[in-house]
Amino acid sequence: MTTNPIKTSPGNDIVRNAEIRKTFPVLEMSCAACAVSVESILKSTPGVSDAGVNYANQSAWVQFDPKAVTVVDLQNAVRAIGYDIVIESEDPTQADPQQVQAEAQQRHYKQLKQRTIWALVLSLPIVVIGMFFMDQPNGVKWTSYANYLMMFLSAAVVFGLGRSFFVNAWKQALHARANMDTLVALSTGIAFLFSAFNTVYPEFWHHRGQHPHVYFEAASVVVAFILLGKVLEERAKSTTSSAIKKLMGLQPKTVRLVEGDTEREVPISSVQVGQLLVVRPGEKIPVDGRVELGQSYVDESMISGEPLPVEKLAGTTVFAGTINQKGSFRFRAEKVGADTLLAQIIRMVQDAQGSKAPVQQLVDRIAGIFVPVVLGIALLTFVVWMVFGQYLAPEADPFTTALLTSVTVLVIACPCALGLATPTAIMVGIGKGAEHNILIKDAESLEVAHRVNALILDKTGTITEGKPVVTDLYWTASEDELPMLQRVLYTLESLSEHPLAEAVTLKLTDTKSVLVDSFESVTGRGVKAHYQSETYFVGNQSLLEENQIELSETQIQQASKLQSQAKTVVFFAKRRVDEKQAEVLATIAIADPIKPSSKKAIDTLQSRGIDVYMLTGDNAQTAASVAKQVGVDYYNANMMPADKANFVNELQTTGKIVAMVGDGINDSQAMAQADVSIAMGKGSDIAMDVARMTLITSDLNSIPQALQLSKQTVRVIRQNLFWAFIYNIIGIPIAAGLLYPSFGFLLNPMIAGAAMALSSVSVVSNSLRLRGMKL
């Protein structure tokens, strides 16, 4: 694979030497095995040097020589095996590939949901008839037609609503593979055909002294439940890809380009490095660049995670996707298209999601071994009874025994319990999690979470509240003056554009404002205003020094103590217009407070042997102060999004199972890299979409509970799989007629069906036990 890039172009295309790397949306993939098939066919296409498929976000990247193979050739190759890739049309009126894929996925989800609902609705009367109205000696006349009624309803469920299992099983068979779909198609298909034969030709068995049993309800219920599991999977998958879409949505579609004295709006794809752009209040920064003219505050929380907007003056850098506040400025574009920091974050989130091991479901792995083994046993059973039946059981007809035993083997191996083992435990686990304010998206996170031994916490919004408030306010003014001074302070901070001013106005919410004579914002220092022959100042120590206002010894000590606690200190002072002497009226401390639950949650995690780390984009002094207060020994400050992801990777290379807890876009890259990702419910939508678990509340004590829930759920899934298999391990040899030569006992297909149902009851009952377990 070529590793030396020559240049990059806007969008997803990266040009490497003579080859091009393009990313395409993929359609029709329904399982991890489908992703393997698409990847295999792309890699084997002449002219392709490398390719990869990301099942999580339904995309494929291909590195190919455009002189040897075209994108249409790639599309035709993928279509030949039953899938499709969306290529960009040269017709500008056509929808872009991402939109085509989104519409196709939405359409698929709706169809799947409708099929599931109908499968459940049609299965209900089949189960009722099969359980309560069959073989009644004095039954009403219509029950004579019950088998035919069940056959037609079951045919609609199995071959109509469940047709995707047969299509996918056929695709797997073409590549000599088997998965859960293969097992479902095989067992439900055989159960239906056997039952249909017994319905139409019951005399075949009557002549041999056997009763023709039917298994329409088993076939229908299996299809309905497996479809329900598919719907849950599709819903979880759609939220994963929506995170990437929302990240892409952070970039505006158009920008304002400055040309001489004029401005004009142009598409963002046409922006070149070196061009001068303008950003107005409230707009998103379109590309990376450097400010040339103007001043403003920019919300860079998507990069740093810090809630306070950053001041931007001439010479400072700005990044694509960050949000301008109240000011306006012009900046020179330095990085565009795939080179911007936002584009790098999107690419790294995609790569991190795709770099995980393929999401091969446990039941798929089991099915891959189980299906050929069961088929082999059924075939062997038929052959053995046909060849040796006259010696093993001379009184029985060899063909009848061979047919009954081989069908019984397939019926008892029906994956009802196997199919229910994971979904029922997950459904109960998800419900229990929701009761404790924990939303869990998939089985994979539950499977891994209980093995977590390193947990990384973001600081702002995770350990802390994420919103600055006034923590300390020391007045030196007299009680008589205080009401009027509070009104002046409230007025000055209401007029200020500084982000910290909001914390002061919130502190003085019930205060009325005054009408000041003049107001001035002093960049980087604070504000000042004239009111009733006096000048009032609100700002930092530099503002006081600039106006020769001295602090008292007490105020100096107060400020020093507050700053040592990582709090931002501002002062409120006044001077009479005709006097030189001035006084400091108040010392105000502003900080992002630590959540009350943070320390207890961290203590609990550490007591369980989990190493807790804190990563933050904030400065080292604040990080050290917060880490000390909550008892975290390992912390890193001034971390960019990529630094956090690299830190996660470093821990993983040492063998750690890492969980990342965050709330911002700046955490999404590290969360995608981590083995388990947990988002705070009050954080950004993108963080919640990337995360596999979301805590609805901001209480960190939910984290130990989530890990405990994972442990309990995995234990139940393993127990379920045990129950699902123990029946097969015991039942299949008996179904094959192992006991017949010695004891004359031959398992009836009806008993086999009952045993299969009993294993399902065991699995469901065991899953329901989760509800009573204490977290």
Side-chain angles (χ1 to χ4, degrees):
M1 175 179 170
T2 309
T3 55
N4 298 321
I6 291 179
K7 64 175 184 175
T8 59
S9 61
N12 289 320
D13 305 352
I14 298 177
V15 181
R16 299 174 189 275
N17 294 332
E19 294 186 335
I20 291 177
R21 174 173 158 148
K22 287 180 79 73
T23 302
F24 305 95
V26 184
L27 305 178
E28 309 295 332
M29 288 197 300
S30 62
C31 61
C34 299
V36 174
S37 299
V38 174
E39 187 174 311
S40 300
I41 196 71
L42 286 172
K43 282 183 175 176
S44 62
T45 304
V48 175
S49 60
D50 201 3
V53 176
N54 186 333
Y55 176 61
N57 59 24
Q58 302 277 295
S59 68
W61 61 266
V62 188
Q63 191 166 322
F64 63 99
D65 181 355
K67 293 178 182 174
V69 61
T70 65
V71 290
V72 175
D73 295 332
L74 297 173
Q75 186 182 44
N76 290 336
V78 174
R79 283 180 173 175
I81 58 168
Y83 307 99
D84 198 1
I85 59 173
V86 186
I87 57 177
E88 198 163 359
S89 172
E90 294 180 358
D91 183 355
T93 61
Q94 295 294 317
D96 68 82
Q98 299 294 341
Q99 188 181 345
V100 171
Q101 185 190 33
E103 290 172 356
Q105 286 176 339
Q106 191 64 26
R107 204 163 45 242
H108 174 66
Y109 176 70
K110 282 183 180 175
Q111 289 173 351
L112 186 61
K113 194 175 174 183
Q114 286 177 348
R115 279 165 40 206
T116 304
I117 292 170
W118 277 110
L120 291 169
V121 169
L122 293 179
S123 295
L124 184 63
I126 300 174
V127 171
V128 171
I129 295 170
M131 298 293 288
F132 303 109
F133 298 101
M134 290 297 296
D135 304 323
Q136 294 184 10
N138 300 314
V140 290
K141 192 174 179 182
W142 69 271
T143 57
S144 309
Y145 304 99
N147 280 2
Y148 283 98
L149 180 59
M150 288 197 296
M151 185 172 73
F152 288 122
L153 289 174
S154 184
V157 174
V158 175
F159 300 113
L161 301 168
R163 63 184 178 280
S164 60
F165 298 115
F166 293 88
V167 173
N168 293 334
W170 177 246
K171 287 179 184 175
Q172 294 297 314
L174 289 176
H175 295 84
R177 296 194 186 99
N179 65 357
M180 188 68 186
D181 290 341
T182 311
L183 205 51
V184 172
L186 204 57
S187 58
T188 58
I190 288 173
F192 179 87
L193 292 175
F194 185 70
S195 302
F197 177 82
N198 290 354
T199 302
V200 178
Y201 302 105
E203 62 275 8
F204 178 84
W205 297 107
H206 288 152
H207 293 157
R208 289 163 174 77
Q210 302 281 343
H211 184 75
H213 294 289
V214 295
Y215 309 96
F216 293 121
E217 76 281 7
S220 304
V221 169
V222 167
V223 168
F225 270 101
I226 305 294
L227 278 175
L228 184 61
K230 294 271 184 188
V231 169
L232 294 174
E233 184 186 344
E234 282 296 320
R235 198 172 61 179
K237 206 164 61 185
S238 66
T239 58
T240 302
S241 56
S242 69
I244 303 295
K245 290 170 193 163
K246 286 177 182 172
L247 274 172
M248 290 175 173
L250 290 174
Q251 195 171 41
K253 302 287 184 192
T254 59
V255 299
R256 285 194 178 81
L257 180 66
V258 180
E259 292 177 324
D261 297 331
T262 61
E263 296 177 8
R264 68 185 177 95
E265 196 164 298
V266 297
I268 193 164
S269 57
S270 67
V271 175
Q272 301 295 319
V273 172
Q275 289 184 322
L276 191 63
L277 308 173
V278 62
V279 177
R280 295 178 178 171
E283 289 183 344
K284 292 173 184 169
I285 313 294
V287 296
D288 294 357
R290 194 172 295 276
V291 177
E292 289 205 348
L293 183 66
Q295 179 267 334
S296 183
Y297 286 91
V298 173
D299 179 357
E300 291 189 345
S301 59
M302 63 160 279
I303 298 170
S304 66
E306 298 310 306
L308 292 181
V310 180
E311 187 174 22
K312 296 296 177 184
L313 304 168
T316 54
T317 53
V318 290
F319 301 98
T322 56
I323 303 169
N324 182 31
Q325 301 292 292
K326 297 178 181 176
S328 178
F329 60 87
R330 291 182 176 186
F331 74 102
R332 188 77 61 183
E334 292 185 342
K335 291 180 180 176
V336 300
D339 291 338
T340 66
L341 187 62
L342 176 63
Q344 289 173 26
I345 291 174
I346 293 170
R347 197 159 53 246
M348 292 181 79
V349 169
Q350 284 178 322
D351 289 348
Q353 286 182 333
S355 66
K356 288 181 178 177
V359 188
Q360 183 76 21
Q361 297 290 332
L362 180 61
V363 285
D364 273 350
R365 292 201 298 270
I366 294 170
I369 303 166
F370 190 65
V371 172
V373 169
V374 169
L375 279 177
I377 292 173
L379 185 63
L380 184 66
T381 302
F382 187 84
V383 171
V384 167
W385 279 106
M386 282 297 290
V387 175
F388 303 104
Q390 55 185 319
Y391 308 109
L392 294 171
E395 72 282 5
D397 177 43
F399 174 73
T400 303
T401 310
L403 186 62
L404 266 180
T405 50
S406 54
V407 169
T408 307
V409 166
L410 292 172
V411 170
I412 204 168
C414 185
C416 200
L418 193 61
L420 293 174
T422 301
T424 52
I426 294 297
M427 285 168 70
V428 177
I430 288 173
K432 188 177 174 68
E435 289 173 7
H436 290 79
N437 302 314
I438 305 161
L439 296 182
I440 300 161
K441 286 186 187 169
D442 62 8
E444 189 184 359
S445 60
L446 274 177
E447 187 181 338
V448 178
H450 74 288
R451 296 193 285 124
V452 165
N453 52 17
L455 188 135
I456 300 171
L457 294 166
D458 170 51
K459 180 183 75 68
T460 308
T462 303
I463 294 178
T464 67
E465 297 286 0
K467 190 172 180 63
V469 297
V470 173
T471 58
D472 306 270
L473 178 53
Y474 301 107
W475 287 99
T476 56
S478 66
E479 289 290 333
D480 297 338
E481 292 180 302
L482 201 54
M484 189 276 292
L485 291 174
Q486 285 179 335
R487 293 178 64 189
V488 175
L489 175 60
Y490 177 78
T491 304
L492 264 63
E493 291 296 70
S494 299
L495 295 172
S496 173
E497 294 179 354
H498 196 282
L500 288 180
E502 188 182 354
V504 179
T505 56
L506 285 174
K507 178 73 176 176
L508 304 173
T509 301
D510 297 329
T511 309
K512 293 182 179 177
S513 58
V514 298
L515 187 61
V516 295
D517 301 325
S518 66
F519 176 84
E520 181 185 351
S521 178
V522 185
T523 303
R525 293 174 178 76
V527 296
K528 64 180 181 179
H530 293 291
Y531 176 66
Q532 294 183 349
S533 303
E534 290 180 318
T535 305
Y536 289 90
F537 305 86
V538 181
N540 56 22
Q541 197 163 347
S542 298
L543 182 70
L544 301 186
E545 291 169 358
E546 192 175 84
N547 291 277
Q548 292 87 44
I549 302 173
E550 294 185 356
L551 291 164
S552 68
E553 190 60 34
T554 305
Q555 288 165 335
I556 291 173
Q557 290 177 1
Q558 279 176 344
S560 177
K561 183 181 176 184
L562 293 169
Q563 284 168 341
S564 69
Q565 296 169 355
K567 296 176 179 177
T568 303
V569 179
V570 295
F571 302 95
F572 179 41
K574 75 170 182 179
R575 167 185 284 140
R576 284 194 63 82
V577 174
D578 54 350
E579 292 180 2
K580 289 185 178 179
Q581 193 171 359
E583 61 176 323
V584 176
L585 302 167
T587 304
I588 308 164
I590 300 169
D592 183 9
I594 294 171
K595 293 176 186 171
S597 61
S598 295
K599 180 158 177 53
K600 185 185 174 187
I602 289 169
D603 288 344
T604 304
L605 291 166
Q606 289 172 333
S607 69
R608 293 183 183 178
I610 298 172
D611 294 334
V612 180
Y613 303 82
M614 186 186 81
L615 304 182
T616 176
D618 209 344
N619 62 68
Q621 185 186 15
T622 306
S625 174
V626 171
K628 184 180 178 183
Q629 291 179 64
V630 296
V632 173
D633 297 325
Y634 311 102
Y635 66 90
N636 279 333
N638 300 313
M639 300 286 278
M640 296 289 282
D643 298 330
K644 292 184 177 182
N646 290 336
F647 187 81
V648 172
N649 190 37
E650 284 174 17
L651 287 178
Q652 288 172 326
T653 55
T654 62
K656 297 276 190 184
I657 306 297
V658 183
M660 174 74 202
V661 186
D663 71 320
I665 299 168
N666 64 314
D667 302 316
S668 57
Q669 205 168 314
M671 290 166 77
Q673 175 68 37
D675 300 292
V676 176
S677 47
I678 303 173
M680 305 304 294
K682 293 181 179 176
S684 70
D685 290 344
I686 291 168
M688 283 189 278
D689 286 339
V690 170
R692 311 314 297 163
M693 292 186 186
T694 299
L695 307 182
I696 298 172
T697 68
S698 58
D699 186 353
L700 285 190
N701 285 309
S702 295
I703 297 173
Q705 288 183 328
L707 302 185
Q708 179 67 12
L709 179 62
S710 159
K711 188 175 180 181
Q712 293 172 350
T713 308
V714 168
R715 190 189 301 143
V716 167
I717 289 174
R718 288 174 180 167
Q719 290 167 350
N720 285 349
L721 291 174
F722 168 79
W723 284 113
F725 274 102
I726 194 69
Y727 284 96
N728 283 316
I729 291 170
I730 297 172
I732 288 177
I734 299 174
L738 191 68
L739 301 180
Y740 193 65
S742 305
F743 303 99
F745 178 74
L746 194 62
L747 191 65
N748 190 296
M750 185 186 71
I751 306 290
M756 182 189 69
L758 190 60
S759 68
S760 302
V761 172
S762 306
V763 163
V764 173
S765 303
N766 194 46
S767 296
L768 291 174
R769 283 196 316 114
L770 257 177
R771 298 166 67 179
M773 294 181 185
K774 186 179 178 183
L775 290 182

